[in-house]
Amino acid sequence: MAVDEGTLRTEVRTFLLDNLLLARDPAELSDDASLVDLGVIDSTAVLEIVVFLEERYAFKVREAELLPENFGSVLAISGYVARRLAEAA
């Protein structure tokens, strides 16, 4: 599955806004904003993001990859997905 990084960022941002930042100002979610600092990330949110990524991009998130550098921001998540998709190509 080939998806450009701009599309990945848009899809990740849309998922986060629609599912985890329901009543918040979308402007708060810049691409490099820390999801921890925004109070978005907890264990349930990580699981929701993982399920979204696995269903949308058809790969399995490895437990060892559940790290802040992969899930800490929109940029981190989209970069992680891009790397995983490149591995599969």
Side-chain angles (χ1 to χ4, degrees), residues 23-55:
R24 298 182 66 175
D25 180 359
E28 290 181 54
L29 188 60
S30 63
D31 288 345
D32 60 349
S34 167
L35 298 178
V36 172
D37 290 346
L38 289 173
V40 173
I41 287 286
D42 61 17
S43 58
T44 301
V46 170
L47 290 176
E48 289 183 51
I49 294 168
V50 166
V51 169
F52 164 70
L53 297 178
E54 289 181 344
E55 290 179 353

Side-chain angles (χ1 to χ4, degrees), residues 50 53-55 57-63 65 80 84:
V50 166
L53 297 178
E54 289 181 344
E55 290 179 353
Y57 302 108
F59 66 79
K60 200 83 174 143
V61 174
R62 301 174 195 119
E63 187 175 333
E65 297 170 330
Y80 167 72
R84 288 300 309 274

Side-chain angles (χ1 to χ4, degrees), residues 67-87:
L67 304 168
E69 55 263 36
N70 292 332
F71 290 87
S73 67
V74 171
L75 276 177
I77 297 169
S78 60
Y80 167 72
V81 171
R83 289 189 301 278
R84 288 300 309 274
L85 294 177
E87 288 175 11

